[in-house]
Amino acid sequence: MFDLHHCQARQCVSQIESLAKANRQLKFVFVSISNGAVFANQVMELLPPELAAQTFSIELGPPFWHGLLSCENNLIFNNEGADPLTTGEVEIVLASLLEGIRNLLTGWVKGKNHRLEEVWHIPDHDYIWDEIEPTVLDFLDRRVIQCTTANP
């Protein structure tokens, strides 16, 4: 949550390098949401240029506190500016966090053992497939499939 996965990002880059050495034709696609988008973005930042050209990232709602790598191989969604986690609307994020903690404690009192991520909901931090599908498919077609066909 606080951008503390640099070691795992470096390990992922090493794994991608190993796979790419074994098969130069491979393309890599990350699909991630929220903090996972930060991880995918960090991997993209760490990739050497030759691997960056064959790696793609679809990032849904990355948190505002991480500066994002913006390049042609990254597709970043923020619900058209409505996602408060991406746009940095701290008051909305904190209010939803407090509500999540309340829900967690209420569940605990009732004997339910929820995790915070199960009861914490940030408004407009949902990404509905029917709404993003055309953009995702266009990105995959333009960047992954056509680039692969043009540069086998």
Side-chain angles (χ1 to χ4, degrees), residues 6-136:
H6 299 289
C7 290
Q8 291 88 350
R10 282 192 290 277
Q11 287 174 338
C12 187
V13 169
S14 294
Q15 291 171 337
I16 291 171
E17 288 174 327
S18 294
L19 290 168
K21 283 180 186 174
N23 185 344
R24 300 268 182 223
Q25 303 302 322
L26 283 179
K27 302 294 179 197
F28 304 92
V29 179
F30 287 92
V31 179
S32 54
I33 186 166
S34 201
N35 289 313
V38 173
F39 174 79
N41 207 273
Q42 285 181 338
V43 170
M44 295 295 286
E45 289 173 345
L46 293 170
L47 288 169
E50 65 277 2
L51 281 179
Q54 66 194 74
T55 306
F56 308 86
S57 185
I58 300 168
E59 303 171 12
L60 309 167
F64 66 90
W65 56 82
H66 180 76
L68 296 176
L69 172 68
S70 183
C71 68
E72 60 186 8
N73 284 1
N74 283 23
L75 176 61
I76 301 172
F77 286 93
N78 67 1
N79 269 340
E80 297 178 9
D83 185 338
L85 189 63
T86 299
T87 58
E89 297 175 64
V90 178
E91 64 283 351
I92 295 173
V93 174
L94 288 178
S96 66
L97 175 61
L98 292 174
E99 183 179 343
I101 291 170
R102 181 185 57 89
N103 293 340
L104 186 70
L105 294 173
T106 301
W108 179 71
V109 167
K110 293 179 180 181
K112 296 180 180 172
N113 195 15
H114 295 291
R115 294 187 327 255
L116 181 59
E117 60 269 16
E118 295 173 318
V119 295
W120 179 18
H121 179 261
I122 300 171
D124 295 315
H125 190 57
D126 301 306
Y127 291 84
I128 310 302
W129 174 246
D130 290 342
E131 295 172 10
I132 65 171
E133 177 185 17
T135 306
V136 170

